[in-house]
Amino acid sequence: MRTDLEARLRTRRTEDGYLFPDYGGYCFAGVPGTALSVLDADDPTVPGPLPADVLAGVDGEYDRVLVALVDGFGLTFWQRHDHPLLERLEAAGTVSPLTSIYPSETAAALTTFHTGRLPVSHGVLGWDVYDPVDDASYEAFTGRVTAGDESVDPDLADVFAGDPLYPALTAAGIDCRHVVPFPETYEGAAVHTYGGSDEDGIGDGGDAEGTDATPPSYPLEGFESALAGAFTAADEPAFLYAYLPQIDTAAHAAGTESDAYRTTVEETLGTLERALSRIAANTADAAGETLVIVTADHGHVDTDAARSVDLESFETVLDSLERHATGEPVRYAGSPRNVHLHLRGGTAVRETVRSELADALEARVFTADEVRERSLFGDGEESAVFRRRVGDLVVCHRDQSVWYGSDSAKFELIGMHGGLHPDELLVPFAAVDLEAVAD
């Protein structure tokens, strides 16, 4: 583990205890560009690859890249757990700390991964999306409408601006395959499904906190065979992606200090370890030509329900919110660690609300102008989708949930993410030869 890099990131990107994304440097947004660069498939629309030293010690040319994304397994938790797979990754490869993007949420981070766009471009700014064009709030990956016009029925393509990477990669001759616990994924990638879920279609296993107090369960059964099947079926060059949401789900439901969480970490890492050994054994000639990347989209902070902030207890806030056509306040935008407030009444109202929240909460309250000045959601040209979805104020509590009591199920979740706490913003990036990690 490159603890020197972690120290530099913390020093350079921390402000008053909040850690900000390292866009353009050691940031999760550079993962897809790094994978493509290894395959000599650079795309000018994708953020540049990570600094070259993240691949230090990884030699040779690769015909395949496998990215295993362990949802919610942030750097703090990687360092906390002893497991043979982690030890092997550190011994045989290079493990570099990265920052996540903002928000440190799967809906935003995976959209960045699959499109090569930052949130300022793709416009997915949290698990709960409020889009005034639709006059509705809905969950980013399930499309479930939570407020406003109930006739809105968004599919995945409606949620983000831009296109997924995979049709262009396929056209360039790269075989794209996804190993995921749901039957659909992004256009252009072949799907190899494992386990099962209580959600239909594309989903975000650990982040389905808007549907119930207990996030959906995604079994690990079948992961090893699904990954082996994808690896065998793939033609070279190949870009393979394996998604493991189980740790994130356990953190939400039970917290990162629980026995359930520790058990899930052991089971998930053990499953991934066996799967890597299996594909290496079954494809011995190709094993040395495969680069394995193990990373995460975010970490977690354990919240305390007794300290959660109910925005509906602030009369000024509720009175100042924009209204749906039904007359109901526009409540649900962002997440409990990344709340977007859409306000009516202009600058004076905005400053009043901001002042009240800043006085009452241990939180950063950014105006939309400050969001832009800080490039909080990434730099580059804003999309029209981003402009209409970003809140007049964005509230990021230091370590607790801030949400609406009318959606109180979120307050029952323990592990949360989306904000700027170092435990949720720092993530690992491990790069290693398949042959070396599977020995």
Side-chain angles (χ1 to χ4, degrees):
M1 177 66 67
R2 300 175 63 191
T3 55
D4 58 331
L5 175 57
E6 178 187 354
R8 294 200 305 273
L9 282 171
R10 286 179 179 271
T11 299
R12 185 162 53 86
R13 302 304 301 165
T14 299
E15 181 181 306
D16 297 329
Y18 293 82
L19 184 69
F20 288 82
D22 191 35
Y23 295 122
Y26 295 94
C27 181
F28 177 83
V31 173
T34 299
L36 298 186
S37 70
V38 169
L39 295 172
D40 293 324
D42 297 331
D43 185 332
T45 67
V46 176
L50 295 163
D53 57 16
V54 303
L55 299 179
V58 179
D59 299 320
E61 297 182 357
Y62 297 97
D63 297 314
R64 300 171 184 240
V65 174
L66 166 62
V67 178
L69 196 149
V70 186
D71 195 329
F73 195 53
L75 186 71
T76 296
F77 309 102
W78 176 298
Q79 294 169 333
R80 182 185 298 173
H81 289 273
D82 294 323
H83 191 278
L85 175 61
L86 305 185
E87 294 172 1
R88 193 170 296 136
L89 288 168
E90 294 196 26
T94 299
V95 183
S96 302
L98 307 178
T99 71
S100 185
I101 61 169
Y102 187 84
S104 51
E105 295 186 42
T106 304
L110 289 195
T111 304
T112 289
F113 181 90
H114 292 301
T115 66
R117 290 171 170 242
L118 295 170
V120 72
S121 175
H122 63 60
V124 179
L125 309 182
W127 174 252
D128 285 86
V129 174
Y130 165 65
D131 198 322
V133 167
D134 299 317
D135 185 32
S137 292
Y138 51 85
E139 295 173 341
F141 282 175
T142 71
R144 186 178 75 94
V145 176
T146 54
D149 185 352
E150 295 182 356
S151 69
V152 173
D153 185 22
D155 61 22
L156 186 65
D158 298 324
V159 173
F160 60 86
D163 299 310
L165 298 170
Y166 309 108
L169 292 179
T170 300
I174 295 176
D175 194 349
C176 301
R177 294 182 179 269
H178 289 185
V179 179
V180 292
F182 26 76
E184 299 176 45
T185 190
Y186 293 82
E187 179 186 358
V191 184
H192 300 260
T193 306
Y194 71 92
S197 79
D198 54 4
E199 295 285 328
D200 293 327
I202 198 163
D204 170 5
D207 280 16
E209 61 257 61
T211 59
D212 191 66
T214 302
S217 173
Y218 289 94
L220 284 160
E221 286 79 11
F223 175 80
E224 297 172 47
S225 59
L227 183 61
F231 206 87
T232 300
D235 294 321
E236 298 175 349
F239 178 45
L240 300 99
Y241 162 76
Y243 177 58
L244 293 150
Q246 293 78 15
I247 291 174
D248 188 59
T249 300
H252 279 307
T256 62
E257 299 288 347
S258 66
D259 289 340
Y261 178 81
R262 285 186 284 271
T263 298
T264 303
V265 169
E266 291 295 316
E267 292 175 347
T268 302
L269 296 180
T271 299
L272 179 57
E273 181 181 33
R274 291 190 298 274
L276 293 176
S277 294
R278 177 172 175 175
I279 60 176
N282 290 345
T283 54
D285 293 339
E289 301 169 357
T290 299
L291 177 68
V292 174
I293 293 171
V294 179
T295 189
D297 50 348
H298 59 78
H300 276 266
V301 293
D302 283 355
T303 61
D304 178 1
R307 293 181 57 209
S308 296
V309 178
D310 184 354
L311 287 170
E312 293 179 23
S313 66
F314 292 83
E315 185 175 344
T316 302
V317 172
L318 212 56
D319 289 345
S320 301
L321 292 175
E322 277 287 1
R323 295 299 194 262
H324 293 289
T326 61
E328 284 295 303
V330 172
R331 290 183 175 91
Y332 311 127
S335 76
R337 303 278 303 131
N338 158 55
V339 184
H340 289 243
L341 299 179
H342 293 265
L343 306 175
R344 57 182 180 173
T347 302
V349 169
R350 184 195 69 193
E351 290 305 317
T352 297
V353 172
R354 182 188 190 187
S355 177
E356 181 173 349
L357 290 176
D359 289 344
L361 306 182
E362 190 178 1
R364 295 294 295 262
V365 183
F366 302 98
T367 67
D369 288 341
E370 289 170 335
V371 161
R372 292 180 167 93
E373 290 167 4
R374 302 190 67 106
S375 298
L376 187 62
F377 293 92
D379 46 19
E381 185 175 354
E382 295 179 6
S383 68
V385 176
F386 171 83
R387 285 195 294 272
R388 67 179 186 251
R389 289 180 180 175
V390 67
D392 296 291
L393 297 175
V394 178
V395 182
C396 177
H397 199 283
R398 186 179 300 275
D399 55 10
Q400 293 302 324
S401 294
V402 179
W403 200 239
Y404 301 91
S406 49
D407 184 21
S408 60
K410 283 187 171 64
F411 289 142
E412 298 177 34
L413 300 173
I414 301 173
M416 293 295 287
H417 55 87
L420 296 167
H421 191 288
D423 285 355
E424 58 193 335
L425 205 77
L426 285 170
V427 300
F429 177 93
V432 65
D433 285 330
L434 173 60
E435 187 176 48
V437 77
D439 286 343

